[in-house]
Amino acid sequence: MRRFSILDWSLEQRWMIFLLVLLVFYNDPFYPLTFLINSSFPSILDGVLQATFLCTLLLFWLSVYHGIRQNVRRFFPFYLPKIILVSFLWVFSVVLSSVRIGQEFRDPMYNMTIDVRQFTSFRIVFYVVGILYILYLLFLIIRAFGELRNMPYFDIRLKFTTLLMLCVVSISIVITTLRFGSGIIEENFVPELASRYKNSVEFLSFYSLINLYLYTMAYVYSPAKNAAVDSLFRDNPTFSMLNDSDEDVVYGSDHEVSRLTSN
């Protein structure tokens, strides 16, 4: 992407740069500190980095399905409400996982099931915000498909993004169900979700899923070696594709044909 101005990047391409950087920290490059430092800090840092990446991924989904329908994306009306919504999930995940890790480091016999009742309000708000996020995301998906399904280029973008997202969500649900079973309704589900794996299979399956998802999107959204600026994603549905038909997209418009003939 360095060959092109950031103004020519699509919304997905800009997010990919940000997500790939966070993916490095999600993979926990500071793990060797657990062997060098006799402290709970490395484990807490790992939980914070996991929560940060996953919440950023949730923010990416909201931004894509909302932003693909409009070209003007000012920070306060567009990003700020989404950031506030996702920030609640981030804060609650970090607080609950950090408390658990810190207490278990001080007391190996610590059982968060006993003390987790102190965080009842945290857990209730976490689940409420999670439900609001799901409803908001579904609303944006339905609205995006309703407005852009007849626009060939944007229709492909929506289908690809949705297909990959559904694969990640479906596999994550299966992994979580196999991991916790009926324990999903338990009070210590949230802190365990953010801080603990029972075996290496759970660890590798979830990390491999996230990495494969990001690598796939990065490959698809990266421009070809012979790509020119005119062939990059046109990220304005109002002006770039509003009057384009399927034949214009495949064979080129009359204006483009006449220009090539004159040359």
Side-chain angles (χ1 to χ4, degrees):
M1 296 303 302
R2 292 180 299 175
R3 295 184 291 123
F4 306 100
S5 170
I6 191 173
L7 297 177
D8 297 319
W9 298 5
S10 70
L11 177 63
E12 295 94 333
Q13 288 172 325
R14 297 175 186 180
W15 270 99
M16 279 303 100
I17 302 300
F18 188 50
L19 287 173
L20 287 173
V21 172
L22 290 180
L23 181 65
V24 175
F25 296 98
Y26 174 77
N27 290 327
D28 195 11
F30 306 107
Y31 181 74
L33 290 178
T34 57
F35 303 102
L36 301 175
I37 302 176
N38 185 23
S39 171
S40 60
F41 173 75
S43 299
I44 293 176
L45 178 62
D46 181 31
V48 172
L49 294 177
Q50 287 188 49
T52 301
F53 174 81
L54 294 176
C55 288
T56 304
L57 185 60
L58 297 179
L59 181 62
F60 163 71
W61 288 338
L62 291 179
S63 301
V64 165
Y65 284 106
H66 191 189
I68 199 173
R69 295 184 290 104
Q70 57 186 31
N71 191 46
V72 179
R73 311 180 188 100
R74 296 186 178 90
F75 177 79
F76 286 101
F78 182 81
Y79 285 107
L80 185 60
K82 300 177 180 62
I83 292 175
I84 293 175
L85 178 64
V86 176
S87 295
F88 278 104
L89 298 175
W90 182 85
V91 170
F92 299 143
S93 300
V94 169
V95 169
L96 291 176
S97 62
S98 299
V99 169
R100 177 185 185 125
I101 294 173
Q103 292 293 344
E104 288 183 345
F105 182 81
R106 298 185 187 95
D107 181 11
M109 301 299 294
Y110 174 76
N111 186 358
M112 192 171 187
T113 307
I114 300 175
D115 294 340
V116 78
R117 300 184 186 278
Q118 301 175 5
F119 302 95
T120 300
S121 59
F122 274 75
R123 292 184 295 102
I124 293 175
V125 176
F126 178 87
Y127 288 121
V128 170
V129 174
I131 293 174
L132 291 177
Y133 174 88
I134 294 174
L135 294 177
Y136 185 36
L137 180 61
L138 290 176
F139 168 76
L140 293 178
I141 293 174
I142 294 173
R143 190 174 178 182
F145 273 99
E147 295 181 1
L148 301 177
R149 61 183 177 182
N150 295 324
M151 303 175 69
Y153 171 66
F154 290 92
D155 181 52
I156 294 176
R157 289 171 64 180
L158 284 173
K159 289 180 179 178
F160 173 76
T161 303
T162 305
L163 179 62
L164 275 185
M165 184 190 70
L166 290 177
C167 290
V168 172
V169 172
S170 301
I171 297 175
S172 299
I173 292 175
V174 172
I175 294 174
T176 304
T177 303
L178 294 175
R179 176 179 170 186
F180 292 98
S182 59
I184 292 179
I185 61 176
E186 292 180 358
E187 296 178 335
N188 60 338
F189 165 67
V190 176
E192 279 203 12
L193 180 64
S195 62
R196 173 167 298 182
Y197 296 93
K198 291 182 179 179
N199 51 59
S200 59
V201 175
E202 293 179 356
F203 174 82
L204 289 175
S205 59
F206 193 72
Y207 270 79
S208 300
L209 173 66
I210 297 298
N211 279 269
L212 182 61
Y213 171 67
L214 262 294
Y215 294 154
T216 302
M217 289 200 300
Y219 175 78
V220 172
Y221 292 130
S222 61
K225 294 182 179 180
N226 58 348
V229 174
D230 291 338
S231 63
L232 285 176
F233 292 159
R234 290 174 290 178
D235 205 27
N236 190 338
T238 303
F239 298 103
S240 66
M241 297 291 290
L242 185 60
N243 298 319
D244 285 353
S245 63
D246 291 338
E247 294 180 354
D248 291 337
V249 174
V250 176
Y251 301 106
S253 61
D254 295 337
H255 173 70
E256 293 174 345
V257 173
S258 61
R259 185 176 61 183
L260 292 174
T261 303
S262 62
N263 293 335

